[in-house]
Each structure stands twice: as structure tokens, then as C-alpha cells.
Amino acid sequence: MNIEEIRAFCKKLPQATEDVKWGNDLCFCIGGKMFCAVPLKGELSVSFKVTDEEFDELSARNGFMPAPYVARYKWVLLQNVSVLNRKELEGYIKQSYELIKAKLPKKALK
């Protein structure tokens, strides 16, 4: 997947918004909380939240690492997007969206 395909997928998720943060990161949010981030410049990489059970496994997997600054919240950085096929990457992004959405107060989703 490329950045435009990732963007199109994220924008299809209900109530998802996009914003540029820190001058270089295209961030996708639900209820004001980020669920996916992609750098606008440089090599394509994708950061997203995973389950507690997946975090250690994915962090040790080739092409992944704990995401800088947010690893303590179980975020990973996919440094090499070619290690996942489109369906797998979309699955992780959708799961991240659902994990973040589940923690939001009901009024944040109106």
C-alpha cells in the first residue's frame, strides 16, 4: 500500500478525521484520538495501536519496532510496509481504530 491508499482506507472509517501533526505526520483520529500515523516525507512507514498480546510479538518481528514515544501505549511502527499484504495492514489499522474508539466516552462519538 502507498500513502494515498492508506489515507483512502482510513477516511472510509466512520467519523475518522485527518490532520497533519508535528509538521510531517499525517494522523488519522476518531473522537480526537489518533489511531494511525504516516509520515508525509521520507520512507513510507505506518504507526498504529495493537492489542497487548500482539505488541511484543510484532515489536520483535522483522519490519516492525515499538513506536517511538507511544510504545508504552502498545503502538508499533511498521517500518517496512512490504512485510504485510494490503488485507493484513488494513486489518491492523481497523483494529487500531476499534481499540481507540472503544476507550472513548460516548459523547466524543456524537
Side-chain angles (χ1 to χ4, degrees):
M1 289 182 78
N2 63 39
I3 192 169
E4 286 304 319
E5 291 169 324
I6 293 168
R7 181 176 183 258
F9 177 77
C10 290
K11 292 289 287 179
K12 286 181 186 176
L13 297 170
Q15 297 178 304
T17 60
E18 70 178 290
D19 189 18
V20 175
K21 297 184 187 296
W22 312 294
N24 183 50
D25 291 305
L26 182 58
C27 299
F28 299 94
C29 302
I30 172 77
K33 299 289 185 180
M34 188 170 56
F35 67 87
C36 181
V38 181
L40 292 168
K41 298 177 187 152
E43 290 290 317
L44 178 62
S45 62
V46 186
S47 296
F48 47 85
K49 183 174 178 61
V50 295
T51 65
D52 292 354
E53 298 79 24
E54 292 169 324
F55 180 75
D56 289 332
E57 176 189 332
L58 288 175
S59 294
R61 187 173 162 185
N62 187 33
F64 284 88
M65 67 179 275
Y69 310 109
V70 289
R72 68 181 174 269
Y73 303 115
K74 308 302 182 192
W75 277 67
V76 294
L77 172 63
L78 175 59
Q79 296 172 294
N80 181 356
V81 295
S82 67
V83 301
L84 296 179
N85 65 41
R86 179 187 193 107
K87 187 175 181 177
E88 290 171 319
L89 180 53
E90 287 178 350
Y92 280 120
I93 293 171
K94 176 83 161 77
Q95 175 182 264
S96 179
Y97 167 89
E98 294 294 344
L99 289 167
I100 299 300
K101 182 180 173 184
K103 298 274 187 180
L104 292 172
K106 298 284 183 212
K107 67 180 183 178
L109 297 173
K110 292 183 180 185

